[in-house]
Amino acid sequence: HGHELATLAALCGNRRVPRLYRNAKAATPMLIGLFEPAIILPDRDFSDKQLHSVLLHELTHLRRKDILRKWLSVLACSLHWFNPLAWFARREIDRACELACDEAVIRKLNEDGKQSYGDTLIAIAVDSKMPRTVLSTTMCERKKSLKERLGAIMKHKKPTRVAIVVS
């Protein structure tokens, strides 16, 4: 557990380090807590590369305040429980948060890092047996969305200077 905390602290740099827990009931790594964020890891062994990918992913959710988006979408669904568009919007917000998080993570990685990140997503999806949680961000919520996420990871290319100047 000390190694995991050290890796988390190194990834946080000068930022506040969220609490880190292990839980046998957790299906996938997840970020919980709006005011006191915490990262929950499943009670399984992660390789160093997997641990790095998992923590980087969850910290990216934290920095992007995705948990707040998730809370707001759940609130909208609770107020508009009768409206199928609210439920559709919530599902699309969850999907967009995951894709945007993946893009933010892989933007900093080289080709080997992208491959390792994709391998970690696959490993977690294979081990995941429990339903998704409502008010947390999890690394791999639905196995069927995994294909879309992996495709986006492998197709991602850094923009050229010309593209940046033109845009």
Side-chain angles (χ1 to χ4, degrees):
H1 196 71
H3 171 67
E4 294 166 351
L5 287 171
T7 303
L8 180 61
L11 289 171
C12 287
N14 294 332
R15 292 186 176 105
R16 189 171 135 214
V17 179
R19 294 169 294 153
L20 182 66
Y21 298 105
R22 282 221 176 241
N23 189 314
K25 301 276 186 195
T28 66
M30 65 181 78
L31 174 69
I32 63 167
L34 195 55
F35 301 109
E36 290 291 327
I39 296 173
I40 310 292
L41 297 177
D43 197 14
R44 63 177 281 244
D45 291 328
F46 292 102
S47 70
D48 288 342
K49 285 183 178 183
Q50 287 176 330
L51 181 64
H52 183 268
S53 293
V54 164
L55 294 176
L56 195 58
H57 180 91
E58 298 307 330
L59 286 172
T60 302
H61 276 305
L62 179 62
R63 288 184 191 123
R64 295 172 45 82
K65 302 193 183 345
D66 288 341
I67 197 79
L68 179 61
R69 288 179 180 88
K70 195 150 192 161
W71 273 88
L72 290 174
S73 70
V74 167
L75 177 64
C77 281
S78 67
L79 294 174
H80 295 275
W81 56 267
F82 53 87
N83 188 344
L85 289 177
W87 294 96
F88 174 76
R90 178 176 158 217
R91 189 174 63 241
E92 288 303 307
I93 287 169
D94 289 350
R95 185 179 146 273
C97 281
E98 287 304 319
L99 289 171
C101 181
D102 289 340
E103 183 179 346
V105 169
I106 64 172
R107 196 177 302 138
K108 303 170 190 166
L109 301 176
N110 59 20
E111 288 303 314
D112 289 338
K114 286 182 190 179
Q115 181 68 44
S116 176
Y117 185 75
D119 290 345
T120 300
L121 285 177
I122 292 169
I124 289 172
V126 166
D127 287 345
S128 177
K129 295 175 183 81
M130 294 180 170
R132 67 191 187 105
T133 58
V134 176
L135 294 173
S136 66
T137 61
T138 60
M139 188 149 183
C140 195
E141 291 187 346
R142 294 183 196 104
K143 292 178 185 177
K144 63 184 178 181
S145 69
L146 184 61
K147 183 177 178 181
E148 179 183 17
R149 290 176 66 188
L150 290 172
I153 289 168
M154 292 305 146
K155 290 177 187 174
H156 182 266
K157 294 197 183 346
K158 292 186 180 184
T160 63
R161 290 183 184 197
V162 173
I164 293 171
V165 168
V166 169
S167 65

